[in-house]
Amino acid sequence: MDLTYKKKNIYSSVDAAERKRIFDYCDGYKTFLDNTKTERESVAHTVAMAKAAGYKPYALGNKINKGDKLYYNNRDKGLFLLRAGSADVAKNGVRILVAHIDSPRLDLKQVPLFEKSDIAFLKTHYYGGIKKYHWLTIPLALHGVVILKNGKKVNVSIGEDAEDPVFYITDLLPHLSQELNSKTIAEGFKAENLNLIVGGIPAPDEDKDAVKKGALALLNQKYGIIEEDFLSAELEAVPAVKAKDVGLDRAFIAAYGHDDSVCAYPEITATLETESDQTILTILADKEEIGSEGNTGMQCVLISDILDEIAKSYGVNPSVLRANSKCISADVTAAYDPAFATAFEENNVGLVSHGVTMNKFTGARGKSGSNDASAEYIGYLRGVFDKANVIWQTGELGRVDLGGGGTVAKYIAKNNIDTVDMGVPVLSMHAPYELVSKADVYSAHLAFSAFLK
């Protein structure tokens, strides 16, 4: 009997058939990534998947019947998938999976368009935690919606098709960077300089702002947009790159938005494919990267409202339902990177290809701002995963006192629900092009499926 604990490399622990299942599953994940670069696109894509699996739209106040498969679309930016099971919810509660579908990006300001030195630019305001210099000199696409003056909603996507132009933020050439090189990163890269180049050809017969007017004319021709319409627009600049295999053996995937699509997709597939008599609630939430605020973030009372509707439909006390419910807050964690080894404590960090990673706590310094899951709940999940032969590991977000982070777990736990963080370890987290192991993506699917059973 081995008394020691050792993490397992999944690729060393599976046969060729299982490796093929991992790779085939991740082909579907790459397709998902390329079609869901914004929270609105994630909702639309997932609704289509849910409809194909027999899910129907739900309206608050409607009765929920055993056997129902329902979805609630929260303002096109958040989504609840509900499957009403036959098990006793007073005893078993609800099995809840939560992931977020927003990612760090650059949002356009409400009055974004200006011209300088015969170049037209769009001003941005960064969203979430980014390193500003990452966004210079990479191809960017523009996604989102514009509400025109007449009330019509127009969907915008420029930069993804092979024939589309892209957008671009400039950097200073190294020959002239001596002064810049002496500054700190915070001093050298200013948020107000993250301006997208949008045009360079002057409109004919215009004396002032001719290039800006030329860009506006093109937008008006394609989308019917006038400059005032930016006031009622949500337009996001995201990397104009596709998900790609990395390495000669194709063990990894590089893509924009692994945080947190790499947890959302396994949640979705587990929910749609797993046979279970449990009542299941899977939540895709917005606004996690900026504190889960607003009516599409996890601090909104909507989750309480929907749990109340379930309790009412089953004729049980909502307090009892909450107390017996269980949740996995599926969010990414930092993967150990040997290039930056001093940022981690090697025994307590997620290793790539060693499985989906459970973070008992997140927070910062003295676990500040963290949900800290109980030993009893982690013991319960150990039994679930061991029974299903899921390879998983534990970790934390960097060494003590260095940093830390937050997730939506604490907002779920406030409803008196046992909750723990669990997600895929990511290299280069919050960069425009992040890296994950295919083995860890599939491990998350297996873990979430076992939890729902």
Side-chain angles (χ1 to χ4, degrees):
M1 179 180 180
D2 188 357
L3 300 179
T4 63
Y5 166 68
K6 184 178 180 182
K7 297 182 180 185
K8 296 179 182 178
N9 185 305
I10 292 175
Y11 287 124
S12 299
S13 306
V14 299
D15 58 19
E18 185 72 358
R19 186 180 299 181
K20 184 178 186 304
R21 281 190 285 272
I22 291 170
F23 277 46
D24 288 347
Y25 178 81
C26 286
D27 285 342
Y29 173 51
K30 287 184 291 183
T31 299
F32 181 83
L33 282 165
D34 289 341
N35 287 280
T36 58
K37 291 189 175 180
T38 70
E39 66 282 5
R40 290 179 182 268
E41 292 169 351
S42 294
V43 168
H45 194 85
T46 306
V47 165
M49 294 173 68
K51 285 181 175 179
Y55 280 67
K56 306 294 183 184
Y58 173 71
L60 290 173
N62 287 357
K63 189 176 189 304
I64 299 164
N65 300 300
K66 292 180 180 180
D68 281 351
K69 296 194 292 186
L70 306 168
Y71 69 86
Y72 182 83
N73 183 342
N74 184 15
R75 299 169 173 85
D76 292 335
K77 293 160 66 168
L79 187 68
F80 291 71
L81 299 175
L82 170 62
R83 196 163 79 208
S86 58
D88 182 1
V89 295
K91 178 181 178 182
N92 293 355
V94 178
R95 295 290 181 273
I96 303 171
L97 289 172
V98 187
H100 67 90
I101 48 175
D102 60 318
S103 297
R105 61 181 190 254
L106 303 178
D107 287 346
L108 292 198
K109 292 190 176 186
Q110 299 312 110
V111 183
L113 191 58
F114 73 98
E115 177 181 332
K116 193 147 192 175
S117 302
D118 289 336
I119 303 174
F121 296 92
L122 290 167
K123 291 200 71 67
T124 69
H125 191 133
Y126 67 91
Y127 173 98
I130 68 168
K131 292 181 176 179
K132 300 177 186 69
Y133 65 87
H134 279 167
W135 292 77
L136 310 182
T137 74
I138 65 172
L140 297 169
L142 204 59
H143 294 235
V145 298
V146 181
I147 309 302
L148 304 183
K149 194 169 186 177
N150 61 10
K152 180 183 177 182
K153 179 189 288 188
V154 177
N155 292 307
V156 173
S157 179
I158 307 171
E160 297 294 348
D161 291 341
E163 299 303 316
D164 279 358
V166 296
F167 303 92
Y168 188 88
I169 301 172
T170 60
D171 192 12
L172 185 64
L173 65 163
H175 312 69
L176 302 179
S177 294
Q178 293 90 334
E179 293 180 354
L180 181 64
N181 293 343
S182 66
K183 296 181 178 180
T184 65
I185 289 176
E187 293 168 340
F189 299 96
K190 300 296 185 183
E192 289 293 356
N193 292 333
L194 297 177
N195 301 318
L196 311 178
I197 290 180
V198 71
I201 299 177
D205 304 319
E206 295 285 350
D207 295 329
K208 185 177 180 182
D209 289 338
V211 177
K212 169 184 169 178
K213 291 173 182 176
L216 270 173
L218 293 171
L219 287 170
N220 182 262
Q221 179 182 343
K222 185 168 184 178
Y223 296 108
I225 294 171
I226 62 174
E227 186 172 12
E228 187 180 351
D229 292 328
F230 284 114
L231 300 177
S232 51
E234 289 182 356
L235 293 170
E236 305 170 9
V238 298
V241 291
K242 303 295 185 185
K244 297 286 290 183
D245 289 347
V246 173
L248 296 174
D249 54 9
R250 299 179 179 268
F252 307 101
I253 304 171
Y256 167 70
H258 282 314
D259 181 7
D260 192 30
S261 289
V262 77
C263 296
Y265 183 73
E267 276 194 0
I268 296 163
T269 56
T271 300
L272 300 183
E273 297 171 11
T274 302
E275 294 297 326
S276 175
D277 61 355
Q278 302 294 333
T279 294
I280 294 166
L281 183 63
T282 294
I283 306 169
L284 304 180
D286 184 26
K287 297 291 189 290
E288 190 277 341
E289 296 295 357
I290 58 170
S292 298
E293 305 288 352
N295 56 12
T296 56
M298 281 310 301
Q299 293 201 62
C300 177
V301 299
L302 182 56
I303 181 175
S304 297
D305 293 342
I306 289 180
L307 290 173
D308 285 348
E309 295 288 354
I310 296 170
K312 182 171 67 175
S313 295
Y314 277 78
V316 304
N317 186 318
S319 299
V320 174
L321 179 140
R322 285 181 176 81
N324 291 319
S325 293
K326 295 177 175 61
C327 176
I328 290 179
S329 170
D331 205 345
V332 297
T333 189
Y336 178 72
D337 188 339
F340 304 97
T342 58
F344 307 96
E345 190 266 288
E346 290 187 42
N347 286 335
N348 290 284
V349 63
L351 304 177
V352 293
S353 302
H354 286 65
V356 64
T357 303
M358 182 187 292
N359 283 21
K360 184 179 186 296
F361 54 87
T362 54
R365 295 172 297 280
K367 301 186 181 181
S368 176
S370 173
N371 169 65
D372 194 346
S374 70
E376 289 84 355
Y377 185 45
I378 293 175
Y380 164 79
L381 290 173
R382 279 182 67 193
V384 169
F385 300 146
D386 289 350
K387 184 177 179 180
N389 296 315
V390 176
I391 296 175
W392 64 285
Q393 59 182 320
T394 59
E396 62 181 12
L397 201 61
R399 75 169 199 261
V400 181
D401 273 345
L402 181 64
T407 68
V408 303
K410 60 185 178 181
Y411 307 122
I412 307 295
K414 282 182 178 179
N415 288 276
N416 192 30
I417 296 171
D418 277 326
T419 307
V420 72
D421 282 294
M422 194 166 197
V424 173
V426 177
L427 290 163
S428 306
M429 190 193 298
H430 280 214
Y433 211 46
E434 301 167 313
L435 193 72
V436 299
S437 166
K438 291 180 180 179
D440 296 331
V441 183
Y442 191 60
S443 169
H445 168 77
L446 297 178
F448 300 158
S449 298
F451 170 73
L452 296 182
K453 291 177 181 178

